[in-house]
Amino acid sequence: MVFGARAHLDVHSFDNDKADPGHPAFGSQVDDGQPRSGFNFRRGYTDVTARFYDLSLKFQNDFAAGTFPGSLREAWVAAKIGPGQLTVGQFKAYRGMEELTSSNETTMMERPSTSSTGIYAGRQWLMGVGYKGIFADQLGYAVNIMSLTHTGMPVKGSSYGGRLFWVPRSQEGDTLHFGFSYSIDTEAAGSLSAKVVDIYGGRRGFSQSFGSAGAAAGLSGHHSETTWALEAAYAIGPVNLQGEYAAVKLDNTHLLAGTQKDSHVQAYYVQASWFITGEKTIYRKERGAFGKPKPIRKWGAIELAARYDAVENKDQSLVENPCGTGTTKCQVQVLTLGVNWYVREGVRLMLNYYLTEAEIGNAGPGTPNRKDSPSVISFRTQLSF
């Protein structure tokens, strides 16, 4: 039996985009009365994990996330059955690489748009059944059937999908990873929403909707979000490269001449990091994602990182309006620069600088594009055991 905890304390400084007569104000140019700069107790986890022969369980709560049971993160029981592991309870659906990376081990403070920060908005932990395993120590597989709800909600909606990943090389300092995932989230009355919402400028930044399944008026019962995603990563020595691409179809997001229309959203990111102190990134094969190494020097390890992240609704136009902005375009781009100092095992300091641009085009001929380009500095003190 293992007891654990983590505390993530963030502080943010926003340099809001200044209003420009050539670009009508929105986003950070509009004072919404909510102070965004300042401290944020992001996570306060406690957890217990236990194993008895082939039976294991986990219970994890986030005291920084509000009241119980909405604050419950993982609560499951698992058993080894056949070549893999059967899991029942609340856990992360088997989606992309960065989505399945622990928040203690993400390279940046925020996950990219290909995760629950974007295309799977608000659907990180779900209740259901999953099965996963590894074949020939190279091919990982996982499938899940879940409700589109978390603990404390009635069992409503559905989510099912799976993930495959191939690791042709998994030596320390020489790891090559390829992956594919597919999922269908179908909302129902009382379930979580099948929608895409991207937050730019960090967790306390500004949000942009890219459409919600079933938002169009009508009698159709199609309220699903269908997603397929590709992932690739290569770790060579102290350098780690990775990226993901996701294509999303949202059913019935808007009307065109009284007819229900679907939306197609694309999201992707490319990321690179380098341990200038020589550490080699760890690959966690049971998860199909990268972790972080222990510092090899007494004063710790230093990691430099950069990521470009973009998401766009391809159907947004003056005629079709799934984003609800009434403009020609709906796109968000974020460039994140980061420095991580691993003081010692369980202690990390993170510094991120976000250069963001949200662009939703114009509202018709003769009107200027609407742009929002705030920059943000975020700092995190992370403790875990």
Side-chain angles (χ1 to χ4, degrees):
M1 182 175 290
V2 178
F3 296 93
R6 73 187 70 171
H8 296 178
L9 178 63
D10 298 354
V11 60
H12 314 276
S13 177
F14 282 78
D15 181 17
N16 288 349
D17 193 17
K18 303 300 186 294
D20 186 335
H23 305 289
F26 84 100
S28 67
Q29 300 175 30
V30 179
D31 183 9
D32 59 7
Q34 297 295 324
R36 299 177 186 271
S37 296
F39 288 93
N40 173 31
F41 187 29
R42 179 64 178 278
R43 296 182 181 94
Y45 283 18
T46 59
D47 57 74
V48 57
T49 305
R51 175 174 294 174
F52 183 75
Y53 293 98
D54 289 336
L55 185 69
S56 57
L57 62 88
K58 185 171 184 177
F59 182 89
Q60 183 182 74
N61 190 69
D62 182 5
F63 289 92
T67 57
F68 187 86
S71 60
L72 195 62
R73 292 301 177 244
E74 295 193 55
W76 50 259
V77 177
K80 189 178 186 310
I81 298 179
Q85 176 179 279
L86 179 70
T87 303
V88 180
Q90 177 166 296
F91 53 94
K92 288 183 179 180
Y94 305 128
R95 310 210 203 245
M97 186 179 201
E98 191 73 2
E99 176 72 354
L100 295 174
T101 301
S102 167
S103 61
N104 272 339
E105 298 180 313
T106 55
T107 301
M108 301 299 190
M109 290 175 60
E110 307 300 338
R111 302 180 199 273
S113 60
T114 56
S115 69
S116 55
T117 300
I119 60 175
Y120 306 115
R123 288 163 280 144
Q124 189 167 37
W125 292 276
L126 302 174
M127 292 190 296
V129 179
Y131 187 80
K132 65 178 182 179
I134 298 177
F135 178 74
D137 204 38
Q138 282 191 329
L139 184 65
Y141 57 89
V143 292
N144 57 258
I145 302 174
M146 316 181 85
S147 66
L148 205 62
T149 54
H150 53 69
T151 305
M153 298 178 64
V155 178
K156 299 287 186 179
S158 65
S159 175
Y160 63 89
R163 180 176 182 241
L164 289 172
F165 63 88
W166 177 44
V167 193
R169 293 206 298 270
S170 58
Q171 306 284 333
E172 183 178 352
D174 183 17
T175 302
L176 184 62
H177 167 104
F178 299 101
F180 170 81
S181 61
Y182 179 83
S183 66
I184 299 178
D185 291 355
T186 303
E187 67 174 54
S191 77
L192 297 171
S193 297
K195 61 183 179 180
V196 176
V197 178
D198 193 52
I199 302 175
Y200 59 99
R203 179 62 58 170
R204 299 187 69 177
F206 304 88
S207 63
Q208 175 61 54
S209 171
F210 289 85
S212 181
L219 299 177
S220 173
H222 296 289
H223 296 167
S224 297
E225 174 183 326
T226 304
T227 305
W228 64 264
L230 299 173
E231 57 194 64
Y234 184 37
I236 178 168
V239 176
N240 185 63
L241 308 172
Q242 74 178 58
E244 297 183 58
Y245 174 86
V248 182
K249 183 173 82 71
L250 293 165
D251 292 342
N252 302 332
T253 57
H254 58 289
L255 294 176
L256 178 63
T259 302
Q260 291 177 328
K261 303 290 289 184
D262 301 334
S263 275
H264 300 84
V265 177
Q266 69 172 10
Y268 61 91
Y269 76 90
V270 289
Q271 177 177 290
S273 66
W274 172 40
F275 278 95
I276 63 176
T277 46
E279 286 78 5
K280 296 179 176 64
T281 302
I282 296 172
Y283 183 73
R284 304 196 181 283
K285 191 172 292 186
E286 78 283 355
R287 190 182 297 160
F290 285 104
K292 297 302 178 183
K294 297 178 182 179
I296 59 178
R297 290 170 171 78
K298 289 184 178 180
W299 52 269
I302 302 294
E303 180 184 28
L304 305 180
R307 181 175 72 204
Y308 173 76
D309 181 20
V311 57
E312 180 179 10
N313 188 310
K314 304 295 290 184
D315 294 295
Q316 177 70 22
S317 67
L318 289 178
V319 178
E320 301 188 56
N321 187 30
C323 291
T325 58
T327 54
T328 58
K329 196 173 186 179
C330 187
Q331 180 185 51
V332 170
Q333 303 175 81
V334 181
L335 175 64
T336 308
L337 305 176
V339 180
N340 298 322
W341 178 22
Y342 301 80
V343 182
R344 62 178 180 82
E345 187 178 5
V347 181
R348 176 167 65 158
L349 303 178
M350 307 178 71
L351 180 66
N352 282 185
Y353 178 59
Y354 307 93
L355 289 167
T356 72
E357 180 173 276
E359 183 175 356
I360 60 173
N362 58 61
T367 63
N369 288 339
R370 296 180 66 187
K371 291 186 177 182
D372 184 39
S373 305
S375 60
V376 186
I377 298 176
S378 296
F379 177 79
R380 169 174 295 167
T381 301
Q382 174 179 312
L383 306 174
S384 64
F385 73 89

